[in-house]
Amino acid sequence: MFHTILFIALFLLSISIFICLYRLVKGPTRPDRVLALDAIGFNIIGVVTVLSILLHTLAFLEVILLIGILAFLGTIALSKFIEKGTVIDYERSD
Amino acid sequence: MKFSNVMLETATKIIIFIVLTFSTYLFFAGHHNPGGGFIGGLVMTAAIVLFYMTFDVVTAREVIPVNFRKIGAFGALIAVTTGVGSFLFDVPFLTQSFTYVDLPLFGETELATSLLFDVGVFLAVIGSVMTIILSISEDV
């Protein structure tokens, strides 16, 4: 019973990742693509969580933290690039 | 146009310490668990890059006044030196050994000589990745 629920959750998460992939490729504007990448990152976190419940292991928890940090960094870099044009500025103007 | 990043600056000041702690944990979790010098160095690079992204290069150079090229070279030197050090004991290159020591706070702890090699890898990764990212960003 519990296994069935976990497999259904994995299936739904993978469908959600595919929908985000469609938005990433098709997305009319750049903010759509940034949000799609962010959502893919958090869906992958969900997949890893369900997998670690399914496999009865704690070994994937570092993976979850790492994906969280990298998705956060990527989102910040892309949003700053969209808003300002540079990712790392030499000297702040304001 | 002004880039008002008060939220980003406030969040970064807290998040950097979380990421640095995670990096240290990954560095010491090597050998038996996922982790080690390479991935620890990459996570610490992520923290430094977050600092560079939130503030600017001038501020970051004031706060972190190190030359990342020298750090990378120094790390590679440490890694090679620990490999050469195994010649002193008449064993092949890069031979590692470990022992169990009673430390006052941690109890019985495994101390491995590959930790010294990992320190070299850690510094080499930080130096090379930061050099790559900064030289790309200065090109604009």
Side-chain angles (χ1 to χ4, degrees), chain A residues 62 80 89-92, chain B residues 3 9 25 53 56-58:
Chain A
E62 287 101 352
K80 194 173 177 190
D89 5 274
Y90 187 70
E91 193 164 16
R92 274 184 295 182
Chain B
F3 185 74
E9 284 177 12
Y25 165 72
M53 275 197 304
D56 51 357
V57 176
V58 177

Side-chain angles (χ1 to χ4, degrees), chain B residues 99-122:
Chain B
T99 179
Y100 288 95
V101 181
D102 258 333
L103 290 181
L105 209 56
F106 300 99
E108 193 177 15
T109 315
E110 180 186 5
L111 288 183
T113 56
S114 51
L115 185 74
L116 296 173
F117 180 75
D118 257 0
V119 170
V121 174
F122 187 76

Side-chain angles (χ1 to χ4, degrees), chain B:
Chain B
M1 191 180 74
K2 267 192 178 179
F3 185 74
S4 59
N5 45 11
V6 180
M7 275 168 61
L8 180 60
E9 284 177 12
T10 313
T12 298
K13 284 170 193 166
I14 300 169
I15 289 172
I16 273 187
F17 286 102
I18 300 174
V19 180
L20 288 179
T21 312
F22 181 53
S23 153
T24 316
Y25 165 72
L26 273 181
F27 176 69
F28 284 111
H31 313 303
H32 300 307
N33 291 311
F38 188 82
I39 183 168
L42 280 182
V43 175
M44 186 165 278
T45 309
I48 301 174
V49 167
L50 179 64
F51 190 81
Y52 268 87
M53 275 197 304
T54 310
F55 301 97
D56 51 357
V57 176
V58 177
T59 316
R61 267 188 198 146
E62 277 179 17
V63 176
I64 316 172
V66 290
N67 188 350
F68 287 109
R69 290 181 178 87
K70 283 179 185 169
I71 291 228
F74 186 62
L77 183 71
I78 289 180
V80 173
T81 310
T82 56
V84 172
S86 57
F87 288 146
L88 293 178
F89 301 97
D90 214 7
V91 284
F93 185 60
L94 281 176
T95 304
Q96 313 286 345
S97 74
F98 63 94
T99 179
Y100 288 95
V101 181
D102 258 333
L103 290 181
L105 209 56
F106 300 99
E108 193 177 15
T109 315
E110 180 186 5
L111 288 183
T113 56
S114 51
L115 185 74
L116 296 173
F117 180 75
D118 257 0
V119 170
V121 174
F122 187 76
L123 293 178
V125 167
I126 290 179
S128 50
V129 178
M130 282 310 294
T131 305
I132 291 170
I133 290 176
L134 288 184
S135 50
I136 288 174
S137 76
E138 277 168 5
D139 214 357
V140 181

